Amino acid sequence: MHQQAEQFEPEIRDMAAYCLDTSGKRLRPTLVFISGWSGEGVVDEALVRAAGVVEMVHLATLVHDDIMDRAELRRSRPTASRQFGPDAAVLLGDALFSQALHIASQFPTTEVCRLVSASTRRVCSGEIMQTLRRRDLNVSLAEYRRMIDLKTAELFRVSCYLGASLSAQATGFAEAADRFGHHLGIAYQIYDDLADFLGEEKKIGKTLGTDLATGKLTLPLMLLLERVPADERAAIIKSLREGGTPGLAASKQRMHELGIAAAVKQTIDDELATALAALAPHASLPAVPLMSQLAGILQQQVAGLPSAPISR
C-alpha cells in the first residue's frame, strides 16, 4: 500500500498516502489472504496484489461515504473530507478507484480486473440506492438487504472468491468461499448499523449516529419504528422527514426497552451461521479454520456491543 502511494502524481501523493496509511481492521485483504491460505510460510504474490486492490477500492468507498455522511472521524482521525475539503476528497476517492483497477489490470489474465471492476460498480450502485432512499421510510426489509448486499457484502464476497480461486484450492471451494464472504459481509454491515446506535466513538474510532442524522433506514431503525406506539412512530417519522433526528440517546434507550438490540444481534448470528455452513464441506482445507476464526471474531464484537445505554 505504501508503494502504491508513490504511483500517484506528486501534487496529490500526500493526500493519497493519508487515505492509504490507515490503522483499520483490513478485513477485506485479510479475507483474500485467509481464503487463499495454503499453509505456514507460503506467500503468494498474487494474493498480496489482490488484497491491495480490494483494500484500495474499499478505502475509496470510505472517502465517498464520509463526504455523504458528513462524518468528522474515521479510524480515530479526521476524515479525508474534513482534512482536504469535500470537493478534493470526492476526486481523491475517484483516483483511488482508478489506481485499484490499474493494479488489477496487471494480472496475467483479465479475470481479476473483470471481477474487481464489476464489484466496484455494484458497491457504487448500492451506495446510490441508499443515497436516493435517504429519509424514505417506506424501504422494505428486502430492499434494505439488497442495498447492504451491494454496498458491503459484495467486496467481502469478491475478496473470498479471489483468494480461493487464485490459490487454486479444491474443486468447489471458491464457490463456497464466495457464499461465506457474502453472508459474512451482510452480518458485518448489520453489526455496523447496530454499532452506529449502540457503540462508543472512542472504541469504534469513527463518527457515530450518522445513519440517524442522515436518515438512513437501517435494520435497528426499521425495528424501532415497527415496535414503538403509533404516536411515537409519527413523531420520529416527522422529525426524520424534516431533516432532524429523534435523538441518539433517546433512540438507544428505546432500543434497549423494546429488545431491538437482541433481535438485531440474532439476525447477525443467523447470517454467520449460514456463512459457516457454506464452509463445512471443505473443513479439511487449511483456509477453513482461519475463515471460521474470523467469523468468530465478529461474533465477539457483536456480543461486546452494549444492549443497554451506557450511563455517563
Side-chain angles (χ1 to χ4, degrees):
M1 298 296 283
H2 288 149
Q3 289 173 357
Q4 289 306 311
E6 296 301 312
Q7 301 302 311
F8 287 80
E9 285 63 33
E11 294 82 359
I12 68 164
R13 195 168 291 157
D14 288 345
M15 298 168 67
Y18 185 86
C19 297
L20 296 175
D21 186 21
T22 62
S23 57
K25 293 179 287 295
R26 305 271 198 218
L27 278 174
R28 292 147 193 86
T30 297
L31 286 170
V32 176
F33 282 122
I34 64 175
S35 298
W37 185 257
S38 298
E40 194 70 39
V42 181
V43 179
D44 187 337
E45 178 62 27
L47 292 180
V48 175
R49 273 188 290 144
V53 168
V54 295
E55 180 67 356
M56 196 171 293
V57 168
H58 174 57
L59 292 174
T61 67
L62 295 185
V63 171
H64 287 166
D65 283 353
D66 290 338
I67 297 167
M68 293 185 292
D69 291 344
R70 298 185 293 278
E72 299 286 323
L73 286 177
R74 169 69 65 179
R75 294 168 180 169
S76 301
R77 65 178 184 169
T79 61
S81 179
R82 174 67 185 274
Q83 190 77 359
F84 308 117
D87 293 344
V90 72
L91 295 170
L92 182 57
D94 293 344
L96 292 171
F97 274 128
S98 299
Q99 183 63 14
L101 294 179
H102 174 68
I103 303 167
S105 72
Q106 295 172 14
F107 280 84
T109 72
T110 61
E111 181 73 356
V112 174
C113 195
R114 183 184 68 79
L115 289 169
V116 172
S117 59
S119 286
T120 300
R121 186 194 67 237
R122 291 184 187 117
V123 170
C124 293
S125 296
E127 291 289 359
I128 291 169
M129 288 171 62
Q130 186 171 71
T131 299
L132 292 176
R133 301 300 294 273
R134 284 183 178 181
R135 306 200 185 281
D136 180 352
L137 302 178
N138 296 313
V139 175
S140 68
L141 183 58
E143 289 171 325
Y144 165 73
R145 289 183 67 89
R146 172 64 173 164
M147 284 188 281
I148 66 175
D149 184 6
L150 290 171
K151 80 185 193 77
T152 301
E154 177 60 29
L155 271 188
F156 276 66
R157 180 198 69 77
V158 80
S159 295
C160 291
Y161 184 83
L162 281 173
S165 60
L166 287 171
S167 61
Q169 298 199 45
T171 302
F173 179 62
E175 289 71 22
D178 185 296
R179 292 193 298 276
F180 169 83
H182 169 76
H183 289 285
L184 181 70
I186 290 177
Y188 183 81
Q189 183 58 60
I190 297 174
Y191 158 75
D192 197 57
D193 291 345
L194 185 60
D196 196 64
F197 282 95
L198 301 182
E200 293 181 85
E201 265 187 23
K202 287 183 179 179
K203 288 185 177 180
I204 301 295
K206 66 176 182 177
T207 304
L208 298 180
T210 59
D211 290 346
L212 198 60
T214 57
K216 289 182 186 177
L217 198 60
T218 60
L219 184 59
L221 183 55
M222 292 170 78
L223 292 180
L224 179 65
L225 290 171
E226 184 181 283
R227 297 187 183 190
V228 295
D231 57 340
E232 188 177 347
R233 183 177 188 275
I236 294 173
I237 290 173
K238 182 175 184 294
S239 178
L240 289 170
R241 284 179 173 162
E242 290 175 352
T245 74
L248 185 59
S251 299
K252 285 183 178 183
Q253 182 65 40
R254 292 300 279 147
M255 286 186 180
H256 166 58
E257 294 168 354
L258 298 169
I260 290 171
V264 175
K265 287 180 178 182
Q266 184 58 57
T267 301
I268 297 169
D269 286 342
D270 292 343
E271 289 294 334
L272 290 174
T274 304
L276 291 170
L279 300 178
H282 304 278
S284 61
L285 294 179
V288 170
L290 293 176
M291 296 167 78
S292 300
Q293 184 180 351
L294 189 61
I297 291 172
L298 179 54
Q299 286 175 320
Q300 291 172 5
Q301 288 183 306
V302 173
L305 284 175
S307 296
I310 299 172
S311 58
R312 299 294 183 188

